[in-house]
């Protein structure tokens, strides 16, 4: 059974939420959830914020949403910086 974790970025449009970005985090749940825990934003999904970040898990090609936050543009900027730093760290360690 293969399990992978990834982040989905989506924004609210007239047709509903549309995905505009995806970051693969690998197969370590602890690393993925620890990264998500550092994100800035609101866990209140009824919040009027238009930007969402979802932590997803796929097991044998079946996706499941683990967690969601809403955020402002400034918070999203901070969160993408964290994602980029973590992906760089993971990729660099794999190559060593």
């Amino acid at each position: 059974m293969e399990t992978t974790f990834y982040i989905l970025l989506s924004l609210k449009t007239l047709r509903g939420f549309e995905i505009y970005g995806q970051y693969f985090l690998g197969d370590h749940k602890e690393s993925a959830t620890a990264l998500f825990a550092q994100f800035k934003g609101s866990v209140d999904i009824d919040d009027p914020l238009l930007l969402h970040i979802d932590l997803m898990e796929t097991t044998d090609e079946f996706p499941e949403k683990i967690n969601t936050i809403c955020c402002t543009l400034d918070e999203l900027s901070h969160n993408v910086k964290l994602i980029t730093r973590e992906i760089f760290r993971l990729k660099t360690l794999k190559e060593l």
Side-chain angles (χ1 to χ4, degrees):
M1 186 176 344
E2 183 179 343
T3 302
T4 59
F5 297 90
Y6 57 99
I7 299 288
L8 286 181
L9 305 178
S10 59
L11 56 94
K12 191 170 186 176
T13 67
L14 294 176
R15 296 182 302 212
F17 281 92
E18 295 190 31
I19 296 168
Y20 68 91
Q22 184 172 352
Y23 296 94
F24 289 97
L25 301 176
D27 58 358
H28 294 100
K29 184 172 187 166
E30 295 79 19
S31 296
T33 55
L35 173 64
F36 195 85
Q38 296 177 55
F39 290 170
K40 292 183 178 180
S42 171
V43 294
D44 182 11
I45 302 304
D46 292 332
D47 199 319
L49 298 174
L50 303 176
L51 302 169
H52 282 196
I53 301 176
D54 300 315
L55 175 59
M56 303 292 293
E57 175 180 358
T58 298
T59 303
D60 291 334
E61 299 183 26
F62 295 104
E64 179 181 346
K65 189 182 299 184
I66 297 174
N67 208 342
T68 299
I69 61 168
C70 306
C71 57
T72 65
L73 189 56
D74 286 338
E75 291 169 332
L76 177 65
S77 173
H78 171 82
N79 297 339
V80 169
K81 181 179 177 181
L82 290 175
I83 293 167
T84 304
R85 184 181 68 202
E86 182 65 11
I87 290 173
F88 178 78
R89 187 185 70 75
L90 291 172
K91 296 289 185 184
T92 302
L93 289 177
K94 283 184 182 180
E95 294 174 8
L96 291 178

